[in-house]
Amino acid sequence: MTEEKKASFVFPRLQLAYMLQFAIWGSWAVALGGYLNGKMTGPEIGYLFMAIPLGAIIAPMFIGPIADRFFAAQKVLGLLHLISGACLAGCGWVCLQAQQATAAGATVTVPFWPMMILLLISGICFMPSIPLINTVVFKHIPDSASTPKVFIFGTVGWILVNLIVAVFAGGAAQPYFFFIGGGCGIFLGLYSFTLPDTPPRGAVAGEKRDVFGLGALSMFKSGSFTLFVLCAFMVSIFGSNFFFPAIVPYLSEYGYPAPVALTTLNQFSELFFMAALAFCVARFGLKWVLVLGMSAWALRYIIFTQSGFQWALAGLLLHGLAYAFLYTAAYMFADRVAPANLKASVQSLLAFLLLGVGQVLSGFFFGFQFDNCPPELAKVPQSEKKIPEWVDPASETSGLRYLDLAKSVGFYFAPEEKKADWWKIGDNLGKYETANKTLDMDKLFANGEEVTFGDVTYTREEIQSVLTEVASKTGKTADTVTRDDWLSVQRHNWKQFFLWPAAFVIFWVVLFVLFGREPKAAVAEGEESGQGKEPEVASA
């Protein structure tokens, strides 16, 4: 086989590996927050989302050196994914055991420590697998300019797995996404052993590993570099790891269709803005691209304080601008200002701060905000029961029903004689609305003084007490409460949840606009002797 044919054949092998790599992360990264909403406290959910960034901090200290010096990259990659995949499957098992041990009608409580230990081990194994798979890609793709043809499949994998979770695994309502992610991990672990051989490079004489980028500390003699790192880091605190655990609960509590599937708009948007990044850098400069990326985080959080499906869609579609124009542009900025002998250290430092420390703090502040913006009413007054579901009857005819991908796929494959009934809503309060969109109590309790939804039975007095409580919180009377009122007291205070982070980000954006500088390339290689020399920058 010629070298050209070998190079051609390696692309689909690496593309499949890269697709699985990010399907593993994507399988639970957005669904987990929705699943645990009400099953754990906010801080506990935040701690679980720290597993990946903690993995980014811990793993390079010992896994990277082992992989670099002693074992082929694809073999280490395979072992790490087998362990990580097994841990994810273990998380799914813990959740199912908790569900089975819960009495009918009671709120499920998922144990924190087994989940934390399993997710932390998974994160420690998963995070070093990203640079390892990148090593395999760069080693076996002859032209580095062609590597985006592989990397784009990571985004494709994230999109596909979330669509599969939404359609076939119950979305965020069931923990089956863990089994999908674990299965992808175990499969990729086995598949990795078949990837092209990438032998260890061995110890390099005089080389010192700079895991945390400490060699780049001399760069902080530059005021402009310090400001850039400070602003990028501060904005990252309310970046991805604050957003991901919140987005499915947010969409679910507003009653929007197919929340897990909707989150894939984040990645579709990311594809577009990643493609536009190079043009925007050339047209506007790196400073203003970073300003756009930072501002996008504040803007989308302000958007999420608004009620309405159109606002939710706009906030989701801003993800590409927020992610690509902050994180990727920050790496480009750092690469431009760093001298050749410090480039690797500067990148390590930035990754440590933005993907490690920043995202650990993200998880902490998510938990703090989530518990400090609780729903006004999450249970039936004087009871441990949940408030019964109230689905909008208009969802049977609205075009938005097609966004419920699970029902759409089911409708497509359903026998012809059953298609007419496929979109009818289940047994819930929405079936008992009056023409004024309020609840008809006489119709609801026409067959007695109790009514059952799912596995929970409610008395007339309980439903009436909820109506009275909702009315007291919305300034209405019990007989004028609508579905929107009913939902409004069950959702977290999302306005407060997102507004304070938006204000925090705006402060750092303004600071960077006023005092940040457009970077120029660092001094030429022949002039590198002064490592502490401030990188040259153009005026703003």
Side-chain angles (χ1 to χ4, degrees):
M1 186 180 290
T2 66
E3 288 300 316
E4 184 177 349
K5 285 183 178 179
K6 284 182 180 179
S8 175
F9 183 67
V10 84
F11 267 98
R13 296 170 65 192
L14 295 177
Q15 286 165 341
L16 174 59
Y18 221 79
M19 183 171 71
L20 290 167
Q21 177 76 35
F22 285 90
I24 295 166
W25 193 354
S27 66
W28 64 269
V30 292
L32 181 60
Y35 175 73
L36 292 178
N37 186 12
K39 299 180 179 70
M40 275 189 183
T41 67
E44 286 174 338
I45 298 172
Y47 294 143
L48 292 184
F49 274 85
M50 292 181 191
I52 286 291
L54 284 173
I57 294 172
I58 297 170
M61 290 187 286
F62 58 93
I63 293 179
I66 292 173
D68 276 354
R69 300 185 179 188
F70 303 111
F71 300 101
Q74 80 279 3
K75 293 180 180 179
V76 179
L77 184 67
L79 179 61
L80 292 177
H81 275 305
L82 288 173
I83 298 172
S84 176
C87 287
L88 289 181
C91 287
W93 183 82
V94 169
C95 294
L96 285 181
Q97 290 297 111
Q99 290 182 186
Q100 293 170 6
T102 304
T107 301
V108 176
T109 300
V110 176
F112 170 72
W113 280 111
M115 293 286 289
M116 187 68 214
I117 293 169
L118 288 168
L119 270 181
L120 183 58
I121 296 172
S122 178
I124 291 173
C125 292
F126 180 82
M127 287 311 290
S129 73
I130 296 177
L132 278 172
I133 198 169
N134 288 345
T135 298
V136 175
V137 171
F138 283 115
K139 174 74 174 178
H140 298 283
I141 299 298
D143 177 15
S144 62
S146 298
T147 55
K149 296 177 183 177
V150 174
F151 295 150
I152 196 172
F153 275 79
T155 305
V156 171
W158 188 293
I159 292 171
L160 285 178
V161 79
N162 276 285
L163 293 178
I164 290 170
V165 166
V167 174
F168 301 109
Q174 296 292 338
Y176 301 129
F177 53 83
F178 273 129
F179 295 108
I180 292 175
C184 288
I186 292 170
F187 178 80
L188 180 54
L190 297 172
Y191 178 67
S192 295
F193 293 111
T194 73
L195 292 176
D197 186 41
T198 309
R201 61 193 181 99
V204 177
E207 179 191 50
K208 293 182 179 179
R209 289 185 60 84
D210 192 5
V211 172
F212 303 122
L214 298 181
L217 294 182
S218 61
M219 293 284 292
F220 284 103
K221 293 178 181 179
S222 162
S224 58
F225 178 79
T226 301
L227 181 66
F228 151 68
V229 172
L230 181 63
C231 291
F233 169 69
M234 288 297 184
V235 173
S236 77
I237 291 175
F238 290 105
S240 295
N241 219 34
F242 181 82
F243 167 74
F244 280 141
I247 189 58
V248 170
Y250 167 85
L251 296 171
S252 300
E253 290 179 6
Y254 272 98
Y256 299 143
V260 173
L262 278 179
T263 65
T264 61
L265 291 177
N266 293 329
Q267 280 63 50
F268 283 112
S269 166
E270 189 180 316
L271 290 173
F272 172 80
F273 283 104
M274 280 290 192
L277 180 59
F279 168 80
C280 291
V281 168
R283 179 68 179 83
F284 305 113
L286 266 171
K287 173 190 171 178
W288 293 105
V289 164
L290 271 169
V291 168
L292 282 173
M294 294 177 184
S295 302
W297 284 104
L299 177 60
R300 76 191 309 213
Y301 288 163
I302 291 172
I303 285 173
F304 284 139
T305 65
Q306 307 301 305
S307 298
F309 189 52
Q310 71 278 16
W311 294 107
L313 292 179
L316 290 169
L317 289 171
L318 270 175
H319 180 77
L321 178 63
Y323 184 86
F325 282 41
L326 171 63
Y327 291 97
T328 307
Y331 299 136
M332 295 170 70
F333 191 109
D335 182 73
R336 184 176 296 183
V337 301
N341 61 315
L342 289 181
K343 285 187 185 296
S345 291
V346 169
Q347 292 295 341
S348 295
L349 175 66
L350 207 58
F352 172 69
L353 291 175
L354 270 59
L355 301 181
V357 179
Q359 293 204 48
V360 167
L361 292 175
S362 290
F364 172 80
F365 283 114
F366 163 81
F368 176 82
Q369 283 289 87
F370 203 67
D371 264 17
N372 280 275
C373 305
E376 293 182 89
L377 188 63
K379 295 176 181 175
V380 178
Q382 315 299 319
S383 171
E384 289 298 310
K385 298 175 183 176
K386 294 180 180 179
I387 297 178
E389 189 177 11
W390 187 336
V391 176
D392 184 2
S395 62
E396 292 184 18
T397 55
S398 168
L400 292 179
R401 70 188 189 280
Y402 295 110
L403 291 177
D404 189 336
L405 297 183
K407 279 196 171 183
S408 296
V409 172
F411 174 81
Y412 180 79
F413 289 105
E416 200 63 38
E417 64 272 13
K418 293 185 178 180
K419 286 187 184 293
D421 296 327
W422 189 260
W423 291 106
K424 289 188 177 180
I425 62 175
D427 191 22
N428 63 81
L429 294 178
K431 294 177 65 176
Y432 306 96
E433 280 188 5
T434 68
N436 296 325
K437 305 296 184 184
T438 60
L439 191 60
D440 187 335
M441 291 287 283
D442 291 333
K443 184 179 177 182
L444 176 60
F445 290 99
N447 296 319
E449 291 301 301
E450 291 185 341
V451 62
T452 300
F453 299 120
D455 58 0
V456 186
T457 299
Y458 303 90
T459 65
R460 188 183 188 107
E461 289 72 21
E462 285 175 331
I463 299 297
Q464 186 63 51
S465 69
V466 180
L467 288 172
T468 303
E469 189 77 12
V470 173
S472 71
K473 296 181 182 299
T474 56
K476 293 190 172 185
T477 58
D479 60 345
T480 60
V481 168
T482 65
R483 175 179 180 266
D484 287 341
D485 302 321
W486 189 270
L487 290 179
S488 69
V489 299
Q490 296 179 68
R491 56 177 82 111
H492 285 76
N493 185 347
W494 293 110
K495 182 172 290 188
Q496 180 181 323
F497 181 89
F498 285 117
L499 204 54
W500 187 82
F504 180 87
V505 171
I506 288 170
F507 172 82
W508 294 101
V509 171
V510 171
L511 195 68
F512 192 66
V513 168
L514 294 177
F515 301 107
R517 296 291 185 267
E518 176 66 23
K520 277 190 173 180
V523 293
E525 191 169 334
E527 303 175 282
E528 287 172 8
S529 56
Q531 291 185 13
K533 184 176 178 180
E534 177 170 335
E536 298 178 13
V537 293
S539 58

